[in-house]
Amino acid sequence: MAGKKGRSGGARPHPKRPRHQSRGKVAWAPVSEQYPAEFQTWQMLPRRATQSAYQHLKIFIDPDIYRDFEVFLEELGGARPEGYSIDRIDPERGYVKGNIRWADRLTQNRNKRSSPRYRGEPIRIVAERMGLNPDQVAGRVGNGWTVEEALFTPPCKNGYTRYGKPSAHNRIHTRNQHTKGARK
C-alpha cells in the first residue's frame, strides 16, 4: 500500500513531517516552477560548499537559508537577473544571511579570495570609486607596491604606470610633477 488515503481520496502527508517542512518537490512545486534557476541554485548549495576546490575552507551554509527556499530567495532579493549567479560578499564567510547576493561575472572576479583588499574591500572596486584606473592600481600591487601606495600615489604625468616598487624619490618626483604643471 503506497500511502493511507484521507477523506478527499488523496494521500495524506507523512505524519512526522508536516507538508510545509518537506524537502521534496511536492512542497516546493509552485515556487520551484516559478523560479526554476534559483531553485536549482538553492538545491546545489551543499555541492558548491563541498567541491574539491573548497574542501579545505569548510564553507558554512546557514541552516535557515537552506531549510526554506523562500527565505533563500528573499535573502537574495528575488529572481536572478540574466547573466548573474550566487556570490558571497565576503569570500571568507559562508552562505549566511547578509553575505549572499546575485552578482555578474566581473563582480565575482573582483571579489576573489586572492584579490588584494583595502579595508576589507577589493582594491579594484575601491579604485573605481576613487576615480582611478583599476588595472593600474592592481598592476602596481602586482609589482610589489603596498595597497596604500598603489591607491594614493598619483599616476605619472603621461598616465602610464611606473614599474617596480616606488621609492621615496619617485613619490616626491611624481608629486612635484603634478604641482609644478607641465615640463617645458
Side-chain angles (χ1 to χ4, degrees), residues 3-4 13 39 42 58 61 79-81 103 118 152 157 172 177:
K4 296 181 180 180
F39 186 75
W42 176 68
K58 307 270 191 267
I61 300 173
R80 180 184 75 186
Y118 178 71
F152 300 112
K157 181 178 164 186
I172 293 167
Q177 262 187 329

Side-chain angles (χ1 to χ4, degrees), residues 36-57:
E38 294 82 357
F39 186 75
Q40 184 178 11
T41 300
W42 176 68
Q43 285 184 317
M44 299 300 283
L45 278 182
R47 188 176 291 177
R48 286 177 69 104
T50 58
Q51 285 176 346
S52 60
Y54 299 120
Q55 281 182 345
H56 67 286
L57 301 174

Side-chain angles (χ1 to χ4, degrees), residues 117-155:
R117 296 181 175 271
Y118 178 71
R119 296 184 178 174
E121 219 175 345
I123 61 164
R124 289 179 174 268
I125 294 172
V126 174
E128 279 181 352
R129 192 176 314 123
M130 293 173 65
L132 301 172
N133 180 343
D135 294 329
Q136 183 180 42
V137 172
R140 287 175 167 186
V141 171
N143 286 323
W145 294 34
T146 66
V147 173
E148 288 77 14
E149 288 172 334
L151 286 169
F152 300 112
T153 302

Side-chain angles (χ1 to χ4, degrees), residues 150-177:
L151 286 169
F152 300 112
T153 302
C156 290
K157 181 178 164 186
N158 61 9
Y160 292 102
T161 302
R162 290 188 318 272
Y163 291 99
K165 191 167 180 162
S167 65
H169 171 72
N170 286 346
R171 276 187 250 128
I172 293 167
H173 176 72
T174 303
R175 210 174 299 129
N176 290 339
Q177 262 187 329

Side-chain angles (χ1 to χ4, degrees), residues 13-168:
H14 191 276
K16 294 187 180 183
R17 183 188 303 161
R19 184 176 166 90
H20 67 279
Q21 292 178 357
S22 171
R23 298 263 321 131
K25 286 195 172 232
V26 174
W28 303 112
V31 180
S32 67
E33 289 173 8
Q34 191 175 9
Y35 300 100
E38 294 82 357
F39 186 75
Q40 184 178 11
T41 300
W42 176 68
Q43 285 184 317
M44 299 300 283
L45 278 182
R47 188 176 291 177
R48 286 177 69 104
T50 58
Q51 285 176 346
S52 60
Y54 299 120
Q55 281 182 345
H56 67 286
L57 301 174
K58 307 270 191 267
I59 296 174
F60 177 73
I61 300 173
D62 187 344
D64 291 338
I65 289 175
Y66 192 61
R67 186 176 301 123
D68 188 351
F69 174 64
E70 291 173 357
V71 170
F72 169 79
L73 196 59
E74 183 179 316
E75 184 65 30
L76 286 166
R80 180 184 75 186
E82 187 67 33
Y84 282 53
S85 61
I86 194 168
D87 180 45
R88 288 174 287 137
I89 296 167
D90 178 358
E92 300 298 326
R93 294 176 56 212
Y95 294 98
V96 296
K97 287 186 177 184
N99 196 46
I100 57 174
R101 64 180 173 192
W102 296 123
D104 62 355
R105 176 63 86 201
L106 179 65
T107 304
Q108 289 187 5
N109 283 337
R110 290 180 176 176
N111 195 31
K112 289 181 179 177
R113 185 176 266 110
S114 61
S115 296
R117 296 181 175 271
Y118 178 71
R119 296 184 178 174
E121 219 175 345
I123 61 164
R124 289 179 174 268
I125 294 172
V126 174
E128 279 181 352
R129 192 176 314 123
M130 293 173 65
L132 301 172
N133 180 343
D135 294 329
Q136 183 180 42
V137 172
R140 287 175 167 186
V141 171
N143 286 323
W145 294 34
T146 66
V147 173
E148 288 77 14
E149 288 172 334
L151 286 169
F152 300 112
T153 302
C156 290
K157 181 178 164 186
N158 61 9
Y160 292 102
T161 302
R162 290 188 318 272
Y163 291 99
K165 191 167 180 162
S167 65

